[in-house]
Amino acid sequence: GHEYAERAVAAGAAAVLAARPVGVPAIVVDDVEKALGALARAVVGRLGTDVVALTGSAGKTSTKDLIAQVLQHHAPTVWTPGSLNNEIGLPLTALKATAETRHLVLEMGARGIGHIAYLTGLTPPRIGLVLNVGTAHIGEFGGREAIAQAKGELVEALPSEAEGGVAVLNADDLLVRAMSARTKARTVLFGEAEDADVRATEVRMTPSGQPSFTLHTPTGCSDVTLRLYGEHHVSNALAAAAVAHVLGMSVEEIATALSGAGTLSRWRMEVTERADGVTIVNDAYNANPESMRAALRALAAMGGAGKEGGGRTWAVLGPMAELGDASLAEHDAVGRLAVRLNVSRLVAVGGREASWLQLGAYNEGSWGEESVLVSDAQAAIDLLRSELRPGDVVLVKASRSVGLERVALALLQGEGEVAGR
């Protein structure tokens, strides 16, 4: 990075943070990463901004984007762009806050025990949201209990209830609900459970696969229809609503903001309809077993899988990374689920893990050309280009390391697509 210091200053940087002199104005420190974090801690402390931090195994970025869009209706808000949720991305986001910023919404990721504790030390939150404990990165953590231990570091870092601390917890996830015992903060529950403070009833799907429900908060209820695709976004929306409720927004304001919120981060259930009637769902930013299942269910709803006259549904799936010893079973289960949901065609892309996806589908009852294994993204592109027809819906999803977004982007190039349905 030091080799780019002169270029950064030439492009307008006032100075650089560096570990050695670099020939341009610089603040020289022993450890650049720690200094960046210390700078963020100082700035956030001086501003007195309300910090909302969130974590979870799945849905962090989508929920963070929802929270940001809802809170913008309330007061000036700064939030994590994309998934910049680590020890570098988090302080860089915090340093975007100004004296006018009322809400700072920060996504926190973890690759091991202690990571979230470190991040909360950089930007101490007043409100902490835990979405779920799943199997993402289970190969690194070793089990869901270890993941829960790491995610719960967020609520342990909150101030007491007397000092305004609030832990927003998923009532429908038992490992998350149990975190209430690990915090001094007030607990607010969200979910579909009857005892949730913020909950949803009458959950239903529109014909295009977008969830609609009645939102209940302690101050009343209001109807919500999301622009996002997939029933899994109900939980994300409830989490955002719970945070907004804690910060003083009315149920009517929250419902209106949720109903108008869209996707801010790329390649996360990014839905585009081509001029020829083919719909491409680019969800290729990342994948884990929970998000794979949610995306497949959304695909089935969008395409009307199993319904007379419904378009064909294509699941173009690649490997899920960092699952350790659970990898074979989890890939097999996703392949089986595609069959159970009556997905028309499964295209498994890649090597060993993709073969497990295809084998799961085969063992569940897939036959003929319903499921196929292809070697790489280009082979998938060639297959789809030759076989897609109007009305088809194509889901593209895999772990980020696979780069399967190339399939979605290739299918949209030069097609005169209709943007952002």
Side-chain angles (χ1 to χ4, degrees), residues 14-331:
V16 298
L17 199 58
R20 63 177 186 269
V22 286
V24 294
I27 301 166
V28 179
V29 296
D30 292 332
D31 188 312
V32 173
E33 184 181 295
K34 288 183 178 178
L36 179 66
L39 183 60
R41 173 69 183 256
V43 169
V44 171
R46 186 179 70 216
L47 293 176
T49 302
D50 241 342
V51 177
V52 178
L54 72 150
T55 193
S57 295
K60 290 188 296 296
T61 300
S62 296
T63 304
K64 174 263 303 176
D65 288 349
L66 283 174
I67 294 171
Q69 291 175 85
V70 172
L71 294 186
Q72 275 191 304
H73 287 259
H74 187 243
T77 302
V78 170
W79 62 92
T80 303
S83 292
L84 299 181
N85 59 19
N86 63 10
E87 59 275 10
I88 296 173
L90 182 134
L92 285 175
T93 301
L95 291 170
K96 294 181 180 180
T98 69
E100 288 71 41
T101 303
R102 283 274 304 281
H103 308 307
L104 179 58
V105 181
L106 297 172
E107 178 182 329
M108 294 186 174
R111 301 180 305 281
I113 302 295
H115 290 177
I116 289 176
Y118 174 76
L119 296 177
T120 59
L122 303 185
T123 53
R126 182 174 77 82
I127 300 171
L129 163 65
V130 183
L131 293 170
N132 45 54
V133 174
T135 54
H137 311 295
I138 197 168
E140 295 183 346
F141 281 96
R144 290 187 70 225
E145 291 72 18
I147 295 172
Q149 182 62 35
K151 302 300 184 185
E153 292 169 4
L154 174 53
V155 302
E156 292 177 342
L158 297 172
S160 68
E161 181 174 359
E163 297 171 303
V166 183
V168 180
L169 303 177
N170 186 347
D172 301 329
D173 186 315
L174 295 181
L175 288 174
V176 175
R177 184 189 273 259
M179 292 178 191
S180 61
R182 295 171 59 184
T183 184
K184 305 182 298 293
R186 174 168 69 97
T187 297
V188 172
L189 296 177
F190 71 91
E192 295 186 47
E194 290 189 5
D195 65 338
D197 302 288
V198 176
R199 62 192 182 95
T201 61
E202 301 176 47
V203 177
R204 53 210 178 272
M205 302 294 288
T206 69
S208 58
Q210 294 157 306
S212 181
F213 59 94
T214 300
L215 171 66
H216 298 260
T217 75
T219 62
C221 60
S222 190
D223 292 333
V224 174
T225 298
L226 297 176
R227 291 171 54 197
L228 307 176
Y229 294 83
E231 190 172 349
H232 60 289
H233 282 300
V234 174
S235 182
N236 298 341
L238 291 175
V243 169
H245 166 72
V246 168
L247 289 169
M249 292 182 67
S250 71
V251 67
E252 292 82 11
E253 289 177 308
I254 297 169
T256 298
L258 283 174
S259 296
T263 301
L264 299 182
S265 301
R266 294 205 67 191
W267 305 341
R268 294 169 176 84
M269 292 302 290
E270 188 175 271
V271 179
T272 309
E273 185 176 346
R274 300 194 325 193
D276 64 356
V278 172
T279 298
I280 308 298
V281 184
N282 187 347
D283 197 32
Y285 187 84
N286 215 341
N288 57 59
E290 289 79 19
S291 67
M292 274 284 201
R293 290 192 285 269
L296 283 172
R297 292 188 178 100
L299 172 67
M302 293 174 66
K307 302 175 185 176
E308 186 176 351
R312 293 185 304 171
T313 48
W314 294 72
V316 183
L317 307 181
M320 299 176 286
E322 299 174 353
L323 294 180
D325 293 340
S327 186
L328 190 157
E330 293 291 1
H331 284 88

